[in-house]
Every structure is written in C-alpha cells, then in structure tokens.
Amino acid sequence: MLRAGTARRRIALQALLAAVVAVALVPAPVAEAVTARGNFAITVTPNGTYNAATYDLGGFRTGNGETVTGYTLTFPSDTNASGATSPGAGDVVTVAADNRTVTVVLGTPIAQRTSFDIAFGNVVNPSTAGTYSIPSVTFTRQGTTNQTINISGETYGIVAAPYLSMTITTPGSGQTVDFGTIDPGVATSARQVSVQVVSSANYTIARTVGGSWTELGLLVSGTATGAKTAGTAGYVDDYVLTPLWTTDPEIPLTATVVYTVTQ
C-alpha cells in the first residue's frame, strides 16, 4: 500500500511540471513603437513643380513604453532635399549623397503614447507634375531596434507651376571678385563668374554695372546676357580691370554687377 501511494504522488508532480512548461512557452506581447494612424496624410506646401516646399507627414503615434529619437526617409526621384530642414529645436539633419535620403536626430525625443507629425522644410519639389509617394519611414527607438513603417500607399500630387531660379558663383567668398594689387593702365588677367539659371519658360538675362566701374576700368564680357530658352543652363562671364591713370590709389573702390533674370 505504501508503494502505491508514492507512485500516485509522483504522477501528480509530473503533471504539474508539464503545465508549468506549457505556460512558459506562450510568447509575451511586443508593443510597436510607432503606428500610422487612420487619418495619415502627406501635405506639400506649396505643391508646384520645382518649388521649395514644406512636407508634413502625419499622423503617427508612439506605442506604450517606447521613445522615438529620430527617423530616416527617402524622397522620390527628382526631389532635391539637399537643403532640408527640421523645425524642432536642436534637431540635426543629415542628407545622403543622393540628395533625397534625409536622417533627423531629434533635439527632443518623442515620448510614449504621443501623437505627432514629421515635417521637413526647404525640400525642392520634382520638376515634373504628377503623383508621388514616399516608400517608408524608419524610426530610431530608444534602447531597442529601429522600426520601418510602409507608407507607400499614401500619395501626394505635384502640379505644374512656373519656376525660375538663378545661382551665381564667384571666385571669391561672399559673391566677390578680388583682383588683389593692380597697376594703372595695365589690364588684369580675367576672373570668371558663372551664372546658372533654371526656368520653366523662356527668359532674358540682363546685367547692370555700377559703383566705381569707370575708375577701375571694369569690362564684363561673356554669355550671361540676352534672351535664353527654357530649361537648365550655365553661362560664364569674364571680368577684367584696367584702372585709369587718373584713379586715386588711396581711395578704396568697388564696382558692382547685378544680374537680373526675367521670364
């Protein structure tokens, strides 16, 4: 009788251990750091071709017990985000060599259970009108792995709009041309100034010379003047000085050249 009772207790103990093991195999729930909410949308302002615009992506929400410290996304082809900014105080923006992939390290992390938007400024829209989408956003989570959310299903429109921009590149800093020490009556070697124009329509470049250009004997020649066709083009002007013998060498002199582009 004693042996039979011992066997029953052993069987009961084995059944209890099996139950404990079965409970331990149930995985614990994992909270996602960020979700794209039902009213998620991408807003571009202004949304004209080649406009420098603000992109607002919202809304997102952080999960329970987790914090977002930054994010990365890639804008679609023909978008230029090389000068992208982030509005938060202390935010650090890094742009990859493709000029489309932008990473933001937040100055102030986004706390748990918080609804928020992502915003970028100074992003240049595509030059072609159409419907565009951003494939995904990857969030950096404090103390854990990154999380990527697919947002390719949300599109935004870029509409045709007139655009015009001009970039002037000089050999000196601060839009200057420095000839150094010069002698009266002697022509200097040419210094080159380049002008790049991007325009959605035909345009005209005019240059206006001012300041002490007569005393300095400034001569400007080159292709950055006259009627041009729409598109992207670069022009080069040569600057040469031949100071007059009557020019007072004790007085600092400055000449100015103003370029004006009109569609």
Side-chain angles (χ1 to χ4, degrees):
M1 295 298 292
L2 180 59
R3 292 179 180 175
T6 301
R8 283 195 296 271
R9 285 193 298 272
R10 185 176 299 143
I11 291 171
L13 179 60
Q14 289 173 346
L16 178 60
L17 289 175
V20 172
V21 171
V23 172
L25 290 176
V26 177
V30 178
E32 290 295 317
V34 182
T35 55
R37 310 187 75 182
N39 60 348
F40 178 80
I42 300 175
T43 304
V44 181
T45 308
N47 67 335
T49 51
Y50 214 79
N51 288 154
T54 297
Y55 281 64
D56 186 273
L57 290 71
F60 296 102
R61 185 172 176 81
T62 50
N64 184 37
E66 297 194 47
T67 300
V68 167
T69 59
Y71 35 79
T72 298
L73 60 79
T74 299
F75 288 95
S77 178
D78 198 25
T79 304
N80 187 346
S82 59
T85 60
S86 181
D91 291 356
V92 177
V93 179
T94 304
V95 182
D98 62 3
N99 288 335
R100 297 189 296 117
T101 301
V102 183
T103 298
V104 175
V105 177
L106 295 170
T108 302
I110 301 169
Q112 62 175 332
R113 299 190 302 277
T114 301
S115 298
F116 67 98
D117 290 358
I118 291 176
F120 293 95
N122 199 37
V123 176
V124 179
N125 293 335
S127 60
T128 303
T131 300
Y132 294 85
S133 66
I134 296 171
S136 61
V137 181
T138 298
F139 291 95
T140 304
R141 304 186 292 178
Q142 192 173 71
T144 185
T145 58
N146 295 345
Q147 178 196 354
T148 299
I149 294 181
N150 185 336
I151 58 171
S152 60
E154 183 61 37
T155 62
Y156 56 93
I158 299 298
V159 299
Y163 56 82
L164 178 65
S165 70
M166 176 174 60
T167 303
I168 300 174
T169 304
T170 63
S173 61
Q175 298 282 283
T176 62
V177 182
D178 187 355
F179 287 86
T181 301
I182 55 178
D183 295 322
V186 179
T188 65
S189 59
R191 304 287 196 275
Q192 290 189 330
V193 172
S194 63
V195 179
Q196 184 186 60
V197 178
V198 181
S199 178
S200 60
N202 293 345
Y203 59 95
T204 301
I205 304 178
R207 57 175 177 241
T208 304
V209 181
S212 303
W213 69 277
T214 301
E215 293 88 339
L216 290 170
L218 172 63
L219 174 65
V220 181
S221 61
T223 57
T225 185
K228 311 294 182 181
T229 57
T232 300
Y235 310 98
V236 176
D237 277 353
D238 288 331
Y239 286 47
V240 176
L241 296 185
T242 309
L244 302 176
W245 280 98
T246 55
T247 300
D248 188 344
E250 300 300 323
I251 301 176
L253 299 176
T254 301
T256 60
V257 179
V258 178
Y259 292 90
T260 304
V261 179
T262 305
Q263 279 189 341

